[in-house]
Amino acid sequence: MAKPKVATTSMCGCFGCHMSFLDIDERILELIELVDFDKSPIDDIKEFTGPVAVGLIEGSCCNEENVHVLQDFRKHCDVLVAVGGCAINGDIPALRNTVPLSECMDEAYRKSVTTYNPSGQIPNDPELPLILDRIYPCNEVVKIDYYLPGCPPSADTIWAALLALLNNKPLDLPYELIKYD
Ligand code: SF4
């Protein structure tokens, strides 16, 4: 019987949620018996190869490519999970939401002490994805089915959630896995 597929992506985040996922350590051997990975930075598959049971989203949307990726995940995944604070509410990247985009670009490409940019040109090659006016959490772009809080959620939390979803069990995580006090 074909194994269910899992896909993951890292958008505007730090890859820490993926690193936490990989912290399941030796359980990764169990995982590869349970699922096949589709589009994911873990296997470097760039495009979906078909329908996917569970999509794990790290990060929020900071540019138009993130929006396309997220919409693509929603289209292909039966269940979509926002993993970590960046995906859920924008978290650290959303700090820029208090500053106009033009000021952010100015600081990044013209004014910072480590910038050398005599022409003052801000990168605008058509190949570059358009930067959005602000950070958009995933649920402002597509419907999200589940949220795993944390920065990052622990490996045990991600593991428990994935097992529940793959086994069609309720996502009823114990307090120990979702407390942050
Ligand atoms: S939630 Fe935390 S660990 Fe995850 S991508 Fe954002 S900053 Fe990194």
Side-chain angles (χ1 to χ4, degrees):
M1 203 170 82
K3 289 186 269 185
K5 288 185 181 173
V6 170
T8 77
T9 189
S10 178
M11 304 195 305
C12 185
C14 74
F15 218 77
C17 289
H18 271 80
M19 297 309 291
S20 186
F21 185 20
L22 294 176
D23 273 345
I24 61 173
D25 298 327
E26 70 279 0
R27 285 172 289 186
I28 204 155
L29 299 174
E30 206 179 317
L31 182 64
I32 57 176
E33 294 296 326
L34 287 174
V35 303
D36 282 328
F37 274 83
D38 203 277
K39 176 181 166 74
S40 170
I42 292 172
D43 56 16
D44 209 24
I45 294 180
K46 309 278 191 217
E47 302 294 338
F48 282 100
T49 63
V52 162
V54 180
L56 303 174
I57 308 291
E58 170 192 294
S60 45
C61 291
C62 74
N63 63 38
E64 62 175 345
E65 187 198 5
N66 298 150
V67 173
H68 291 313
V69 167
L70 189 52
Q71 289 171 335
D72 207 23
F73 265 72
R74 182 67 280 178
K75 198 166 108 191
H76 286 89
C77 301
D78 294 340
V79 172
L80 209 51
V81 185
V83 181
C86 293
I88 294 171
N89 60 19
D91 212 63
I92 293 167
L95 289 174
R96 88 149 158 98
N97 287 356
T98 60
V99 181
L101 178 60
S102 57
E103 281 183 39
C104 292
M105 301 298 267
D106 233 22
E107 182 64 26
Y109 292 108
R110 293 187 178 126
K111 291 186 179 162
S112 90
V113 289
T114 55
T115 299
Y116 176 72
N117 183 4
S119 72
Q121 174 82 29
I122 290 179
N124 63 355
D125 191 282
E127 288 275 316
L128 296 173
L130 191 69
I131 305 283
L132 302 178
D133 59 333
R134 67 176 177 88
I135 296 293
Y136 291 82
C138 294
N139 73 330
E140 290 188 20
V141 178
V142 298
K143 176 178 176 286
I144 296 293
D145 300 302
Y146 295 99
Y147 299 84
L148 288 184
C151 181
S154 70
D156 288 344
T157 306
I158 298 171
W159 178 246
L162 195 53
L163 282 189
L165 293 172
L166 291 170
N167 290 304
N168 289 320
K169 298 237 170 86
L171 200 53
D172 188 17
L173 299 178
Y175 176 69
E176 293 70 44
L177 291 185
I178 50 171
K179 76 179 172 76
Y180 295 94
D181 52 4

